[in-house]
Amino acid sequence: MEEKSISDIIEEYLKQILGESSQIEIRRSEIANHFDVVPSQINYVIKTRFTIQHGYLVQSKRGGGGYIRIERVNLLDNVDVLNSLIQAIGDSLSERDAYDIIRTLYDEKVLTRREGDLMLVALSKQTLNVNDSNAESRLRARILISMLNRLRYES
Amino acid sequence: MEEKSISDIIEEYLKQILGESSQIEIRRSEIANHFDVVPSQINYVIKTRFTIQHGYLVQSKRGGGGYIRIERVNLLDNVDVLNSLIQAIGDSLSERDAYDIIRTLYDEKVLTRREGDLMLVALSKQTLNVNDSNAESRLRARILISMLNRLRYES
DNA sequence: TTTCATTTGACTAATTTTGACCAAATTTTA
DNA sequence: TAAAATTTGGTCAAAATTAGTCAAATGAAA
């Protein structure tokens, strides 16, 4: 018999509810109370078992009426292309390389013209306007990678 | 979305009335009384949910016969409103305000879902990852304004 | 034993709710 | 008409209500 940790049990519980609707909203303290654990354990479960790599999107709100929302998302077909591009970018990216990548994605019909244009202006030297040229390239890389990661799935 | 806080419920109520006519006039104390909250909570709801970033204009008058007027404005074909939006961004923009603006543009069908999502991740705190919080907000403002202008002057 | 995962709790951050006090416009009264 | 009273809405900050972070302690596995 496998000895399940309480984290495993909470994961199972959440996934069971997620089986009924593709999106759930929970109150952290309620779940914590239900399983008799400290509230931060819910964060632990989410961080280790409901990541985007697992196919889940998580959003939350604090304060009165606060919640944690977990949504199951569909991974798309282009994942391989995107992954290899993300690898190639690394942690630094020139404006020219950004253009080439976006152009490629447009040619591959991963992006529409408008999407590509929006991405390009966001990555332009003029927009970023960072003093240090290395910092600028690193920032450009971070932004493009984030956008490519976003393209890997849909809600 | 599950509405939970009383502020959410008041927001929903006002938007429902706004669905019938594009402009409403309310008496603050009446609404407060109706939902059994202090009057200033109405100000809170308006300040957090009916800003120009959300696509609303608010005017009010004090004294006898006083009112709060909320008007739904159209960002699509009203150049002035779009300008005031860009002006409201100024040179600094929080992640929350960015979300509100992009959400509004999506609701107005200026953006597709995918375009909005791409813009949001590009503007997220995590992506920008700037040490100085002021610098981060200024960068966020530059990027969003660039993207908005790109949409604006599109052929 | 060493390493990795889980559990806990103290501290932090964001959002909403409440109430005391302020300001403006109108109405009443002198 | 001028002052006073009344009727509205505005501001701001404290309190209350959620969730997030991080690292120490504990447990499990290799």
Side-chain angles (χ1 to χ4, degrees), chain A residues 122 127-128 143, chain B residues 122-123 128 139-147:
Chain A
T127 295
L128 299 184
I143 295 176
Chain B
L123 298 171
L128 299 183
L139 173 60
R140 182 177 294 114
R142 285 200 303 278
I143 296 176
L144 182 53
I145 288 178
S146 288
M147 291 194 285

Side-chain angles (χ1 to χ4, degrees), chain A residues 15-122:
Chain A
K15 286 188 173 168
Q16 185 211 315
I17 312 178
L18 269 165
E20 292 153 15
S21 55
S22 71
Q23 173 178 313
I24 62 176
E25 270 181 21
I26 61 174
R27 177 146 298 157
R28 188 179 75 155
S29 58
E30 265 180 19
I31 304 294
N33 204 55
H34 186 278
F35 291 99
D36 197 30
V37 297
V38 296
S40 62
Q41 178 136 17
I42 309 306
N43 295 86
Y44 175 74
V45 171
I46 287 173
K47 208 170 68 177
T48 54
R49 294 151 161 87
F50 291 89
T51 66
I52 187 62
Q53 285 80 6
H54 291 101
Y56 296 92
L57 219 49
V58 178
Q59 297 171 295
S60 65
K61 199 174 101 176
R62 306 184 193 187
Y67 57 79
I68 298 178
R69 179 188 306 150
I70 305 177
E71 183 187 2
R72 200 158 16 82
V73 296
N74 298 321
L75 291 178
L76 301 178
D77 322 329
N78 313 310
V79 169
D80 290 343
V81 183
L82 294 171
N83 281 341
S84 59
L85 281 175
I86 289 170
Q87 289 293 327
I89 293 173
D91 64 356
S92 181
L93 182 71
S94 71
E95 196 170 4
R96 175 58 191 266
D97 285 344
Y99 175 82
D100 289 343
I101 287 171
I102 289 170
R103 176 60 196 250
T104 298
L105 290 172
Y106 171 69
D107 288 343
E108 296 282 337
K109 303 210 185 317
V110 178
L111 294 176
T112 67
R113 175 68 180 274
R114 241 168 79 107
E115 286 162 355
D117 284 346
L118 279 174
M119 292 169 72
L120 278 177
V121 297

Side-chain angles (χ1 to χ4, degrees), chain B residues 114-131:
Chain B
R114 244 167 75 107
E115 288 162 354
D117 285 343
L118 281 173
M119 292 169 72
L120 277 177
V121 297
L123 298 171
S124 76
K125 183 181 190 63
Q126 187 176 11
T127 295
L128 299 183
N129 189 34
V130 178
N131 288 325

